[in-house]
């Protein structure tokens, strides 16, 4: 008979190093409840702001306060653009975030680009690149201004990398620009549908307009940062609006070139966790290389009597996601060397 070790209890077997908050797809709008595009899932546009307030109150009161909060994108809903309410809604959500007593790192998703151009976002409060950390004498780890990505160190030997999943996209870019033309060409090569948001009949259903991808330039930069982290025995958490691992996500919600991102990550030892939003349903899987892919359930589809956020407690040997409401608890052990 095979000997099976006792399962580890949920108790903190080792010292807590630090913690951080996670929240995704708030999609606030000053509108009555509605439904998703398929018409089968309810969206609570106004109530999402109350869920955010509840999450912030919780984080502010936690006994070991989080070092930071990761906001995984889609902070306001695309409907705001139709009602010319984008700036007003964003201001409302940002005023709510001001109650938070720790820094928040904002990721950009498709709904940011339904409301604003990339230039607007770069000059807005949703650009949190000023919170980045620089690595002295390593210019190759400095991100380009051509995409919205950066890295920071919330605690010694832990590096967080925020990626731009709409670096390659037809959203938020000037339609006369070469980049728009290049991205439209990629999209049309993979998606012959008249409606580019439809995955109908696609062999690779992620090639829809509401997704995007990572440029080669951004992936090369990611590779450099991970090389530095490998050399310096750092553990890395990656953050992106779009997920990149099929087992943890609906295939329609993946980044266009998710395989390229995985190839970079899998060529290094340092990555322990990849957090994403976008799916609204959530999802989880540990890949063959020991990277935990966590998709956080979306606030927008969370009923008023529930919640959708989490606090991740970081230990020397694992991370523990303490979920609230729709977000389940998870234990994510680091792979053994």
């Amino acid at each position: 008979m095979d000997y099976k070790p006792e399962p580890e209890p949920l108790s903190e077997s080792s010292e807590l190093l630090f913690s951080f908050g996670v929240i995704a797809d708030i999609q606030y709008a000053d509108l009555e409840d509605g439904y998703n595009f398929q018409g089968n899932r309810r969206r609570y546009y106004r109530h999402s702001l109350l869920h955010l307030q509840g999450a912030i109150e919780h984080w502010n009161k936690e006994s070991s306060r989080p070092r930071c909060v990761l906001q995984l994108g889609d902070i306001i809903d695309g409907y705001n653009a139709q009602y010319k309410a984008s700036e007003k809604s964003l201001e409302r959500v940002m005023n709510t975030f001001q109650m938070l007593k720790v820094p928040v790192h904002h990721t950009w998703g498709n709904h940011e680009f339904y409301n604003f151009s990339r230039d607007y976002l770069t000059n807005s409060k949703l650009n949190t690149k000023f919170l980045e950390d620089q690595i002295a004498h390593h210019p190759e780890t400095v991100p380009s201004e051509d995409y919205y990505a950066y890295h920071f160190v919330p605690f010694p030997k832990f590096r967080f990398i925020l990626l731009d999943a709409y670096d390659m996209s037809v959203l938020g870019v000037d339609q006369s620009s070469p980049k728009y033309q290049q991205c439209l060409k990629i999209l049309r090569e993979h998606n012959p549908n008249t409606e580019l948001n439809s995955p109908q009949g696609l062999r690779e259903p992620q090639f829809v307009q509401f997704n995007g991808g990572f440029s080669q330039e951004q992936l090369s930069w990611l590779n450099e940062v991970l090389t530095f982290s490998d050399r310096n025995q750092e553990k890395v958490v990656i953050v992106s609006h779009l997920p990149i691992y099929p087992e943890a996500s609906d295939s329609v919600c993946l980044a266009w070139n998710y395989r390229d991102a995985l190839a970079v990550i899998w060529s290094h030892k340092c990555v322990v966790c990849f957090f994403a939003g976008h799916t609204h349903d959530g999802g989880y899987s540990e890949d063959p290389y020991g990277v935990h892919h966590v998709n956080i359930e979306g606030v927008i589809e969370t009923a008023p009597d529930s919640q959708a956020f989490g606090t991740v407690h970081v230990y020397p040997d694992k991370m523990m996601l303490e979920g609230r409401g729709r977000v389940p608890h998870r234990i994510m052990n680091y792979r053994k060397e």
Side-chain angles (χ1 to χ4, degrees):
M1 198 175 104
D2 289 344
Y3 166 71
K4 285 202 172 70
E6 283 291 298
E8 256 191 69
L10 260 169
S11 68
E12 293 81 359
S13 55
S14 48
E15 57 164 335
L16 175 66
L17 301 176
F18 70 103
S19 63
F20 60 94
V22 284
I23 193 163
D25 299 273
I26 299 163
Q27 287 184 220
Y28 169 73
D30 185 10
L31 289 174
E32 297 297 322
D33 293 353
Y35 285 86
N36 63 345
F37 295 111
Q38 289 76 36
N40 59 355
R41 298 221 306 250
R42 193 158 183 161
R43 293 187 167 178
Y44 305 90
Y45 295 108
R46 281 200 188 105
H47 206 91
S48 65
L49 202 60
L50 297 176
H51 281 321
L52 173 62
Q53 284 168 5
I56 289 171
E57 283 164 20
H58 178 88
W59 286 320
N60 284 343
K61 285 200 297 243
E62 283 206 48
S63 53
S64 70
R65 192 176 286 165
R67 286 290 169 110
C68 63
V69 167
L70 309 175
Q71 188 277 111
L72 301 170
D74 283 4
I75 197 168
I76 64 170
D77 195 86
Y79 270 130
N80 286 290
Q82 267 175 254
Y83 295 99
K84 309 245 182 307
S86 301
E87 292 188 354
K88 190 178 168 192
S89 289
L90 180 61
E91 193 179 348
R92 256 195 142 148
V93 181
M94 297 311 268
N95 285 344
T96 305
F97 264 114
Q98 280 191 321
M99 292 156 39
L100 183 66
K101 292 173 179 168
V102 300
V104 56
H105 295 265
H106 293 294
T107 312
W108 298 349
N110 45 314
H111 283 262
E112 276 74 13
F113 294 112
Y114 297 153
N115 284 287
F116 306 110
S117 70
R118 183 169 279 272
D119 287 346
Y120 183 97
L121 290 171
T122 302
N123 296 301
S124 76
K125 286 179 181 165
L126 284 178
N127 181 347
T128 44
K129 214 170 181 173
F130 66 92
L131 295 170
E132 72 181 341
D133 282 307
Q134 309 250 327
I135 303 172
H137 316 301
H138 284 274
E140 75 283 1
T141 62
V142 177
S144 150
E145 293 297 318
D146 295 339
Y147 47 83
Y148 173 63
Y150 63 91
H151 52 86
F152 64 99
V153 178
F155 190 87
K157 294 293 178 187
F158 284 85
R159 190 170 299 279
F160 285 28
I161 304 174
L162 190 139
L163 293 182
D164 183 348
Y166 289 85
D167 177 12
M168 299 294 289
S169 165
V170 294
L171 304 177
V173 265
D174 192 324
Q175 296 193 0
S176 62
S177 68
K179 189 158 190 181
Y180 175 86
Q181 298 302 328
Q182 179 199 358
C183 294
L184 186 62
K185 184 169 179 279
I186 293 168
L187 186 54
R188 286 232 162 100
E189 278 168 4
H190 292 86
N191 185 340
N193 296 328
T194 317
E195 172 48 77
L196 288 171
N197 273 322
S198 168
Q200 201 176 343
L202 302 189
R203 203 166 51 85
E204 294 194 275
Q206 77 272 19
F207 281 98
V208 285
Q209 189 169 286
F210 57 78
N211 294 336
F214 311 99
S215 66
Q216 196 45 57
E217 186 190 16
Q218 185 180 182
L219 292 174
S220 300
W221 166 77
L222 173 63
N223 189 53
E224 295 290 1
V225 180
L226 297 182
T227 300
F228 177 88
S229 291
D230 273 348
R231 264 202 307 259
N232 291 275
Q233 280 85 54
E234 293 179 336
K235 288 186 167 56
V236 172
V237 170
I238 299 180
V239 185
S240 156
H241 181 63
L242 297 181
I244 60 164
Y245 192 55
E247 302 297 313
S249 167
D250 177 340
S251 58
V252 177
C253 289
L254 294 161
W256 287 353
N257 57 339
Y258 69 88
R259 291 184 190 88
D260 297 341
L262 285 172
V264 172
I265 290 167
W266 288 348
S267 68
H268 296 275
K269 287 197 169 78
C270 55
V271 181
V272 293
C273 221
F274 189 105
F275 283 95
H278 196 53
T279 63
H280 297 185
D281 270 347
Y284 168 80
S285 185
E286 181 181 351
D287 72 28
Y289 294 83
V291 180
H292 300 273
H293 295 263
V294 185
N295 295 350
I296 298 294
E297 286 72 6
V299 171
I300 182 63
E301 288 177 14
T302 301
D305 62 352
S306 186
Q307 242 311 356
F309 70 94
T311 303
V312 181
H313 303 283
V314 181
Y315 296 88
D317 59 338
K318 63 179 171 290
M319 292 189 181
M320 289 170 59
L321 168 60
E322 182 191 353
R324 296 279 156 178
R326 296 207 305 142
V327 177
H329 291 323
R330 302 198 186 279
I331 297 181
M332 299 169 286
N333 293 304
Y334 310 145
R335 69 189 132 188
K336 303 283 186 280
E337 283 305 320

